Amino acid sequence: GENVEQHPSTLSVQEGDSAVIKCTYSDSASNYFPWYKQELGKGPQLIIDIRSNVGEKKDQRIAVTLNKTAKHFSLHITETQPEDSAVYFCAASIGNTGNQFYFGTGTSLTVIP
Amino acid sequence: GAVVSQHPSRVICKSGTSVKIECRSLDFQATTMFWYRQFPKQSLMLMATSNEGSKATYEQGVEKDKFLINHASLTLSTLTVTSAHPEDSSFYICSAHVAGLASEQYFGPGTRLTVT
């Protein structure tokens, strides 16, 4: 089955700096890669996603890049703010309709004011 | 759009009792819903996949007779933890796949279960 690894497990950055979280996956059939933000005591929120036919996607301060050859994808957050502090999970999915997600182990991001 | 609700948000029950958790898609139809369990500072662990009108598919190691899942309509799935024990205490989260929208899953806010 699919195996998703995520690094780092914890990340601290100064407010205004950039944060990068990286994930690798094992199954070349994976074609959908979402990123979720989870605040304490809440469910994960989809913040950005990318499909295998695209190399990069950006939404304001958040961007995701995908390297299919190397089987890795990354989340980039620029101009970080204290409210970006949360746990971030990457995931990989095979197929198009309701297939299960394989989650990374999470990255706890702390933005220091 | 794509809002998923869960009820209750927190529940405390005594050992041996059963507790039901509801997951609803509020503004879309969900042909598939997923149930996850999450321990503190850990990732989400998939428990089962629930398809409307059919039996749920359970992940290896998850007892289907203990964690009863019903997906009776396109907007509602329920998870019932039967004969709860303290080790069942956890954060339970559901997600819903948006029918017709390839791949996306939206998560509920989670239910904190404490078994005393």
Side-chain angles (χ1 to χ4, degrees):
Chain A
E2 174 65 283
N3 181 46
V4 177
E5 294 189 356
Q6 184 172 345
H7 299 281
S9 57
T10 60
L11 178 61
S12 291
V13 298
Q14 291 288 334
E15 182 178 358
D17 287 350
S18 295
V20 180
I21 303 171
K22 298 182 179 181
C23 286
T24 60
Y25 60 99
S26 60
D27 195 328
S28 57
S30 289
N31 59 4
Y32 177 66
F33 308 92
W35 284 91
Y36 288 88
K37 175 183 180 182
Q38 186 178 27
E39 297 176 340
L40 192 62
K42 298 183 179 180
Q45 275 189 304
L46 177 67
I47 56 171
I48 197 166
D49 57 12
I50 192 167
R51 290 183 168 80
S52 58
N53 59 347
V54 177
E56 183 174 358
K57 184 176 178 180
K58 191 173 182 180
D59 182 5
Q60 299 183 333
R61 296 186 297 108
I62 295 173
V64 57
T65 58
L66 171 65
N67 184 326
K68 285 196 310 182
T69 302
K71 295 203 208 58
H72 68 70
F73 56 112
S74 300
L75 176 71
H76 304 253
I77 305 174
T78 58
E79 300 172 29
T80 53
Q81 302 166 1
E83 49 267 38
D84 294 329
S85 297
V87 178
Y88 291 82
F89 291 98
C90 65
S93 173
I94 302 169
N96 292 323
T97 51
N99 288 352
Q100 73 173 87
F101 285 2
Y102 297 86
F103 283 91
T105 49
T107 297
S108 177
L109 173 65
T110 302
V111 179
I112 304 166
Chain B
V3 177
V4 177
S5 71
Q6 273 184 249
H7 179 80
S9 57
R10 290 178 174 271
V11 58
I12 301 173
C13 70
K14 293 186 177 180
S15 288
T17 61
S18 297
V19 61
K20 180 186 285 188
I21 302 169
E22 292 186 348
C23 177
R24 294 182 184 271
S25 56
L26 297 185
D27 51 2
F28 66 97
Q29 292 185 331
T31 50
T32 304
M33 289 184 172
F34 301 87
W35 286 96
Y36 295 85
R37 184 173 181 177
Q38 187 178 34
F39 292 105
K41 298 187 178 182
Q42 293 191 21
S43 189
L44 292 84
M45 184 186 76
L46 180 66
M47 298 175 66
T49 301
S50 167
N51 291 299
E52 185 265 339
S54 63
K55 290 184 178 180
T57 303
Y58 290 82
E59 295 300 299
Q60 193 172 7
V62 178
E63 299 175 58
K64 62 180 181 180
D65 294 329
K66 179 169 184 61
F67 298 99
L68 301 178
I69 291 172
N70 184 281
H71 193 159
S73 76
L74 286 172
T75 59
L76 174 64
S77 176
T78 60
L79 168 67
T80 301
V81 183
T82 63
S83 188
H85 289 111
E87 55 265 31
D88 297 326
S89 299
S90 190
F91 194 51
Y92 292 87
I93 311 172
C94 71
S95 72
H97 166 68
V98 184
L101 203 69
S103 306
E104 282 93 352
Q105 284 185 33
Y106 292 88
F107 284 81
T111 297
R112 172 71 59 192
L113 170 64
T114 303
V115 184
T116 61

